[in-house]
Amino acid sequence: MRLEGSLDAFSLPDIFQLLSFTKKTGGLHLRRAATADVDAVHGVVHFAGGAVTGGSPDLGRLALVRRLVGAGYVDDAGLADAIEAVKADPSLSPIRALLQAGALEEEDLHDVAREQAVDTVYDLLRWPEGDFAFEVDEPDPDSVGLSLPVDEVVTEARTRLEAWTQLAAS
């Protein structure tokens, strides 16, 4: 099954609910074309059994790795070791390489990955337009064992969106 369409025809929370209720596994890809105001972006939210397992608001930027490094959970030496491991085995994800190198604690990774998933949904909810396509059974390359209920992720993302809207209006 392939589910695809435009965000002006289906809201993102409605798509998430459908994937949750039908217990789908795969990647929900969202693409926004470049305009005079914004660059083209390709984000993804991964699901397993209808639950959110992770996501990235911009696939080209290794968002989870950047967040881990920026928060101080991974030092330069650990990152360098992980990069060398990925170069030696391109099938290895950077996150798996960090874990295998002992450069990252799994508990810290779970905390940061949860925050990354909610932030991804928040970012994607802000898109005024774009297209989506759900790829059934697409694996999450950065799967860390998260299983977040869709309603909790969407509620938290909407709360952040409302707060942002109020801050921007003041």
Side-chain angles (χ1 to χ4, degrees):
M1 171 194 121
R2 183 165 167 94
L3 175 67
E4 56 187 40
S6 174
L7 292 175
D8 62 353
F10 299 97
S11 77
L12 194 54
D14 289 343
I15 299 164
F16 280 20
Q17 286 301 318
L18 176 64
L19 297 174
S20 176
F21 290 147
T22 56
K23 307 242 184 271
K24 294 296 181 200
T25 296
L28 177 64
H29 292 263
L30 295 108
R31 289 180 175 82
R32 182 179 66 195
T35 67
D37 299 330
V38 294
D39 293 332
V41 182
H42 175 184
V44 66
V45 178
H46 289 279
F47 293 81
V52 174
T53 62
S56 175
D58 185 352
L59 285 181
R61 297 187 49 92
L62 293 173
L64 184 55
V65 173
R66 286 172 161 274
R67 185 177 291 236
L68 289 162
V69 171
Y73 290 111
V74 175
D75 62 20
D76 290 343
L79 183 59
D81 290 345
I83 290 169
E84 290 304 315
V86 171
K87 284 181 183 176
D89 179 3
S91 68
L92 185 65
S93 79
I95 297 299
R96 288 282 156 232
L98 287 168
L99 287 170
Q100 288 177 6
L104 178 63
E105 296 294 326
E106 198 153 341
E107 183 178 331
D108 294 334
L109 173 59
H110 283 194
D111 292 344
V112 173
R114 181 194 182 289
E115 193 68 23
Q116 174 70 31
V118 173
D119 279 352
T120 296
V121 174
Y122 160 76
D123 283 344
L124 298 173
L125 283 173
R126 295 176 54 208
W127 288 15
E129 57 189 32
D131 297 314
F132 67 88
F134 184 73
E135 299 292 333
V136 175
D137 295 329
E138 177 184 270
D140 181 350
D142 289 333
S143 178
V144 298
L146 287 182
S147 183
L148 306 171
V150 164
D151 57 342
E152 288 179 20
V153 173
V154 170
T155 298
E156 188 169 338
R158 279 184 166 162
T159 300
R160 292 179 186 186
L161 184 59
E162 289 169 13
W164 177 253
T165 302
Q166 289 175 358
L167 283 172
S170 55

